[in-house]
Amino acid sequence: LEEQGARGARLGWIDIHTGLGPSGHGERIFADRNDPVALARAHRWWSMDGAQVTSMYDGSSASAELTGLLFNAAYLHCPQAEYTGLALEYGTLPMHEVMTALRGDQWLYNHPEAGEAQRAAIKRQMRDAFYVDTPPWKQQVVTQGLEVARQAVAGLRG
């Protein structure tokens, strides 16, 4: 980021996540400080073709309001750049199953004595909670990811 972004006047950011929302759907979540100008720019870039940019700040997103986000590195290392950011959150399993996997992983962290079979089952449950190993899910991820990337390039061009 320091090397490539330090010279740019504009910076487009796409942060990819999985685990929240309907399986295969890539929710477009505003990934920036709570700035109405940047939010409007994100809407211009990514709210099209029926897709909308949501925000953790106004409650329209599946995401809770978070702190310590990675996009803050853009402000630190590229202060000269106009930053426009998006988190693309792909749904996997129902929320109950994702939370169960996370609880299992935390349990495993606190119980290093767990047997290998139990350890493998919990690790598999975690993987399944954040990655759906089916061709349709993978195709949705690729299709939506390419669309968002193309829209970012178009947005950067102005």
Side-chain angles (χ1 to χ4, degrees), residues 10-137:
R10 301 174 84 196
L11 175 63
W13 182 283
I14 303 169
D15 196 352
I16 299 174
H17 293 261
T18 63
L20 293 178
S23 186
H25 171 71
E27 181 183 350
R28 299 167 184 210
I29 305 170
F30 178 58
D32 198 349
R33 297 172 176 168
N34 193 5
D35 174 2
V37 173
L39 178 59
R41 191 170 50 252
H43 277 289
R44 284 193 307 274
W45 286 23
W46 290 302
S47 287
M48 53 190 69
D49 302 329
Q52 294 295 314
V53 172
T54 63
S55 174
M56 64 181 171
Y57 302 111
D58 66 10
S60 62
S61 169
S63 176
E65 191 166 337
L66 305 170
T67 60
L69 296 165
L70 189 57
F71 68 71
N72 287 304
Y75 287 99
L76 178 65
H77 297 292
C78 307
Q80 82 295 341
E82 176 188 75
Y83 170 86
T84 308
L86 186 79
L88 191 55
E89 176 77 42
Y90 293 102
T92 53
L93 299 176
M95 180 56 67
H96 172 74
E97 292 179 46
V98 173
M99 295 305 293
T100 298
L102 287 167
R103 281 191 289 278
D105 192 56
Q106 180 62 40
W107 181 90
L108 187 60
Y109 177 81
N110 289 308
H111 292 86
E113 75 283 357
E116 189 52 42
Q118 188 175 23
R119 177 175 300 282
I122 290 170
K123 291 297 182 183
R124 178 63 183 204
Q125 187 179 31
M126 271 296 284
R127 181 187 172 277
D128 291 347
F130 293 95
Y131 175 75
V132 180
D133 193 6
T134 65
W137 188 84

